Amino acid sequence: MTDIATQPRSVSQTEQYEKCGWRYYLQRIKRVTPLPAAWSHHGTAFHSAAEAVERSERTMTADEAVQLFSDQYAALVNKALDQEPNTDRWLSASGSGGEDIERRYVLGQEQTRRYVEWAEENQPTIWQAPSGKDALELYFKVEIGGVQVRGYIDQLVLEADDSLRVRDLKTGTMKSKFQLETYKVAIEKHFNVPVNRGDWYLAKNGGLSRVVKLDKITEEEVGERYAAMDAGVKRGDFVANPGFLCRFCDMKHACSFSRSRS
């Protein structure tokens, strides 16, 4: 308990704890091995391909990016299959686990190709950090509301007025405004550069989401959620919240509260 009580928090930790404290407990304290899901490998491989495209200053071709996605996706899936070869135990939002693995391989290739085309057409300006490196998968660790918070920001885009826009790349449908708000506070504290807006690149649609205004967001309101989560973990409060989301929970196989155990 000492380690989890003192380690930095993150967006994913906080949102997981808020949705179901028992899932947080099983995964992060009991260290239960999660059920595999193709959507996780799909997202990781897509992010790697998009980052490589940007780091190449968009000289990487669509075919090269698709090959990078394909290679990483296959490697991640094969490693997971070594650990859990029974694809009936894989989580899937549509069809069987095996069908989802194959479907996402093709889908991810299409989405990667569309990202290259979108980036070439729109030419967003990636901000260059004071270190001289492009702000891609940018790591941060700052104190927010009295709690140490860390994370990685997919992209920071330079706006016409020299402010920054935080951008998160999504292969799924779940979007977190809290994530963008955290990034805004973290960047302003760490780099002292204004962040007034945020958005998501939605791989499903091949374009950007609506703009999220962040100029009125304060550290105090973001910090309240981290402080509440941090205090709850330190108290040992891990309240289960069984319901519809149990179906997609990677801890359901080890959870006595789950309504969807496999």
Side-chain angles (χ1 to χ4, degrees), residues 31-76:
R31 304 289 183 180
V32 173
T33 300
L35 292 174
W39 64 60
S40 174
H41 309 312
H42 173 191
T44 298
F46 175 82
H47 275 74
S48 294
E51 181 184 357
V53 168
E54 297 299 342
R55 291 199 184 281
S56 76
E57 298 183 347
R58 304 188 186 120
T59 60
M60 178 178 283
T61 68
D63 287 343
E64 290 171 334
V66 168
Q67 188 61 56
L68 192 156
F69 168 86
S70 303
D71 291 344
Q72 180 159 10
Y73 180 80
L76 291 169

Side-chain angles (χ1 to χ4, degrees), residues 49-188:
E51 181 184 357
V53 168
E54 297 299 342
R55 291 199 184 281
S56 76
E57 298 183 347
R58 304 188 186 120
T59 60
M60 178 178 283
T61 68
D63 287 343
E64 290 171 334
V66 168
Q67 188 61 56
L68 192 156
F69 168 86
S70 303
D71 291 344
Q72 180 159 10
Y73 180 80
L76 291 169
V77 167
N78 287 335
K79 182 178 179 180
L81 284 169
D82 287 341
Q83 297 173 345
E84 179 51 83
N86 182 2
T87 57
D88 289 338
R89 286 179 54 80
W90 282 51
L91 296 174
S92 172
S94 175
S96 68
E99 291 170 341
D100 199 40
I101 290 172
E102 296 178 6
R103 182 179 70 85
R104 288 181 181 276
Y105 180 74
V106 176
L107 178 61
Q109 290 178 328
E110 295 171 349
Q111 291 175 342
T112 299
R113 186 173 298 279
R114 285 203 300 269
Y115 178 82
V116 175
E117 295 168 352
W118 174 86
E120 289 178 347
E121 179 181 350
N122 291 276
Q123 293 293 320
T125 302
I126 303 298
W127 182 63
Q128 195 170 75
S131 64
K133 295 182 179 180
D134 288 340
L136 301 163
E137 290 296 320
L138 183 67
Y139 176 77
F140 68 86
K141 182 179 178 182
V142 297
E143 184 178 292
I144 301 179
V147 178
Q148 286 292 316
V149 178
R150 65 183 174 191
Y152 289 88
I153 302 173
D154 289 345
Q155 297 179 359
L156 280 174
V157 178
L158 185 64
E159 302 268 51
D161 62 358
D162 290 330
S163 68
L164 300 180
R165 182 189 299 202
V166 288
R167 177 163 295 157
D168 192 58
L169 310 184
K170 290 294 182 188
T171 52
T173 57
M174 298 296 290
K175 301 187 294 295
S176 167
K177 187 177 179 182
F178 178 58
Q179 182 179 36
L180 300 183
E181 293 170 346
T182 294
Y183 293 169
K184 174 247 182 16
V185 173
I187 291 304
E188 290 188 343

